[in-house]
Amino acid sequence: MKFITLLSAVLIAVVPGALSVAEWGQCGGTGFTGSTSCDSGLKCVYLNDWYSQCQKGTAAATTTTTTTRTTTANNGGATTTSSGGTTAVTGFVKTSGQKFTVNGVLPFISTNAYWLAQLGSSSLITQAFSEIAQAGTTVVRTWGFNDVTSPSGTYYQLFQGSTVTINTGSTGLGKFDTVVAAAKAAGIRLVVPLLYIQQLVGSGQPASTFYTNSACKNAYKNYVKTFVNRYINEPTIMAWQLTNEARCNGCATSVITSWATEMSAYIKSLDSNHLVSLGDEGFFNQPGSSSYPYQGGEGIDFTANLKISTIDYGTFHLYPIGWGVTSGYQAWGSTWITDHAAVQKSVGKPTIIEEYGVTTSDRATVYAAWWNSIVSSGLSGGELAATTASGSGYNDGYGISTSDSIFSALKAHTAAMKARS
């Protein structure tokens, strides 16, 4: 549905065309054909096989040097201060009961920035992460899918008739390498949804086609294999998500549960390092309910899906007005949060709220109530409601900028989540 993103300041444009590469620019990597010379005072630092970046000083493959921030960044429970020093992202995030762990308990405080790879330069991406970190964010959720029928911007798959080409170049997975490197430099982990395909289903097909047709499933697996294998050994990736907001309107809930069982097991067979989640809206399967998100009509059974052995944690979203709850949405949202926390506790796996929002005049009061419910319910983690930076072109209207009157309340919520962890 909507995507809530956190950024705040004006992003700085980059002037192209220099013979040497500016700070934070790409200077090497598999398939890279640009300049490998950095501006004076910078060195080309290896980050992974596909991406090296011009930075001040020197750095090893698992650390990056930064002199642009004086905030304290949380790195999977091991906190370091980036003020002319290094910020390390080491170790793979795991789950322990209802908690995320890596070098201790990881406070899951995240935001959506699905558009990061669409930004025009590595400098813009780096600045984006710098802004995101200001709210105390530990995890960013960003898209690992974008399929097109003609080359345009950043895309990961090109569909030309029956020919499907995965783009591993600088406008494809090479660009995602830039996102990963910038996240690592900021000490932030990534959650990456992988659902990408619309071209193979075709118009007029039933909603279940994507989840049941063997050609669709094989195409999905082919893409996932390429994407996942590229980052198997990268701890900056916290988790893969099978989808963004999977639905199968009118289908039996067993259709998506069966698909999620198969695909999560497939990813685990490729990659034992990273967590896997479904990435759904958290709809329940209670046909007698008077409330649409509880009725099961979209083919989602949150409880059944959380019980899948190869699904590591649960997710849900919260857009009550968009779902038809136009009055009493504050109380409804708090109940929605506590209901998911109850399933989290009964199943014994972490559960997080990924997206939420209202655009009404009582937003501050509504968010305060929801934040309180997130903390008091024992929910494992939550996204931040926030917005995009001026000039980036991505703003869905649900957000909070650093100049917003409730930004201080947002930061207080972040602190409460960290203190609880």
Side-chain angles (χ1 to χ4, degrees), residues 6 50 107 127 187 203 221 233 256 281 287-288 327-328 345 349 360 379 402 413:
L6 169 71
W50 304 277
Q127 182 66 20
S203 61
K221 287 179 178 179
N233 296 314
I256 287 181
E281 294 158 283
S327 64
K345 294 168 187 175
K349 291 182 182 180
T360 50
L379 198 69
T402 54
H413 167 61

Side-chain angles (χ1 to χ4, degrees), residues 94-141:
K94 302 298 181 182
T95 62
S96 177
Q98 298 169 47
K99 297 182 182 295
F100 298 102
T101 62
V102 57
N103 306 318
V105 175
L106 169 69
F108 191 101
I109 302 164
S110 182
T111 194
N112 275 284
Y114 70 93
W115 38 261
L116 280 165
Q118 300 295 330
L119 294 178
S121 70
S122 57
S123 291
L124 292 179
I125 295 171
T126 297
Q127 182 66 20
F129 277 107
S130 177
E131 298 297 333
I132 287 169
Q134 289 186 22
T137 308
T138 60
V139 179
V140 167
R141 183 170 176 258

Side-chain angles (χ1 to χ4, degrees), residues 20-364:
S20 58
V21 180
E23 186 176 10
W24 311 119
Q26 185 175 4
C27 55
T30 302
F32 179 70
T33 58
S35 174
T36 58
S37 298
C38 297
D39 284 349
S40 177
L42 305 177
K43 293 193 176 185
C44 189
V45 177
Y46 170 89
L47 297 177
N48 57 48
D49 288 347
W50 304 277
Y51 191 80
S52 297
Q53 186 180 68
C54 290
Q55 299 179 15
K56 295 176 182 177
T58 60
T62 57
T63 63
T64 54
T65 301
T66 175
T67 58
T68 59
R69 294 190 291 121
T70 57
T71 58
T72 297
N74 182 284
N75 305 290
T79 302
T80 60
T81 300
S82 56
S83 180
T86 60
T87 302
V89 175
T90 58
F92 295 97
V93 178
K94 302 298 181 182
T95 62
S96 177
Q98 298 169 47
K99 297 182 182 295
F100 298 102
T101 62
V102 57
N103 306 318
V105 175
L106 169 69
F108 191 101
I109 302 164
S110 182
T111 194
N112 275 284
Y114 70 93
W115 38 261
L116 280 165
Q118 300 295 330
L119 294 178
S121 70
S122 57
S123 291
L124 292 179
I125 295 171
T126 297
Q127 182 66 20
F129 277 107
S130 177
E131 298 297 333
I132 287 169
Q134 289 186 22
T137 308
T138 60
V139 179
V140 167
R141 183 170 176 258
T142 192
W143 277 359
F145 65 94
N146 188 30
D147 56 299
V148 298
T149 55
S150 61
S152 177
T154 299
Y155 65 94
Y156 302 130
Q157 278 200 123
L158 175 64
F159 286 81
Q160 295 179 314
S162 60
T163 302
V164 183
T165 304
I166 298 176
N167 183 7
T168 59
S170 61
T171 59
L173 296 184
K175 187 69 172 293
F176 196 82
D177 294 340
T178 306
V179 174
V180 173
K184 182 190 288 288
I188 289 175
R189 310 267 177 173
L190 297 176
V191 170
V192 185
L194 294 168
L195 176 64
Y196 68 97
I197 222 170
Q198 306 208 357
Q199 306 301 328
L200 288 180
V201 176
S203 61
Q205 297 298 312
S208 60
T209 301
F210 177 81
Y211 302 104
T212 59
N213 179 270
S214 59
C216 289
K217 292 200 290 184
N218 289 337
Y220 177 86
K221 287 179 178 179
N222 181 58
Y223 175 75
V224 163
K225 182 177 181 179
T226 300
F227 207 111
V228 168
N229 279 342
R230 191 176 183 96
Y231 302 104
I232 281 179
N233 296 314
E234 178 52 71
T236 305
I237 304 293
M238 172 182 159
W240 304 115
Q241 288 193 333
L242 303 184
T243 69
N244 175 66
E245 300 188 339
R247 292 188 182 190
C248 191
N249 184 268
C251 299
T253 57
S254 59
V255 172
I256 287 181
T257 298
S258 177
W259 180 85
T261 300
E262 178 181 352
M263 296 308 172
S264 59
Y266 177 71
I267 292 178
K268 289 288 190 180
S269 75
L270 300 173
D271 179 2
S272 61
N273 289 328
H274 296 105
L275 302 177
V276 176
S277 61
L278 178 52
D280 60 303
E281 294 158 283
F283 292 162
F284 290 104
N285 183 28
Q286 301 171 8
S289 174
S290 60
S291 185
Y292 148 71
Y294 285 84
Q295 293 170 354
E298 296 294 349
I300 290 289
D301 184 335
F302 172 77
T303 304
N305 294 334
L306 188 58
K307 291 179 179 179
I308 297 171
S309 62
T310 43
I311 293 292
D312 294 301
Y313 67 96
T315 66
F316 67 97
H317 300 176
L318 174 53
Y319 295 105
I321 295 175
W323 295 342
V325 183
T326 55
S327 64
Y329 43 80
Q330 175 180 310
W332 190 96
S334 289
T335 299
W336 183 249
I337 291 166
T338 56
D339 284 351
H340 284 84
V343 177
Q344 166 192 302
K345 294 168 187 175
S346 68
V347 177
K349 291 182 182 180
T351 295
I352 61 107
I353 181 171
E354 286 192 322
E355 300 181 27
Y356 58 90
V358 295
T359 57
T360 50
S361 59
D362 60 348
R363 181 183 61 162

Side-chain angles (χ1 to χ4, degrees), residues 349-387:
K349 291 182 182 180
T351 295
I352 61 107
I353 181 171
E354 286 192 322
E355 300 181 27
Y356 58 90
V358 295
T359 57
T360 50
S361 59
D362 60 348
R363 181 183 61 162
T365 302
V366 172
Y367 283 5
W370 290 355
W371 292 337
N372 181 64
S373 296
I374 291 169
V375 174
S376 63
S377 68
L379 198 69
S380 300
E383 299 280 2
L384 302 177
T387 191

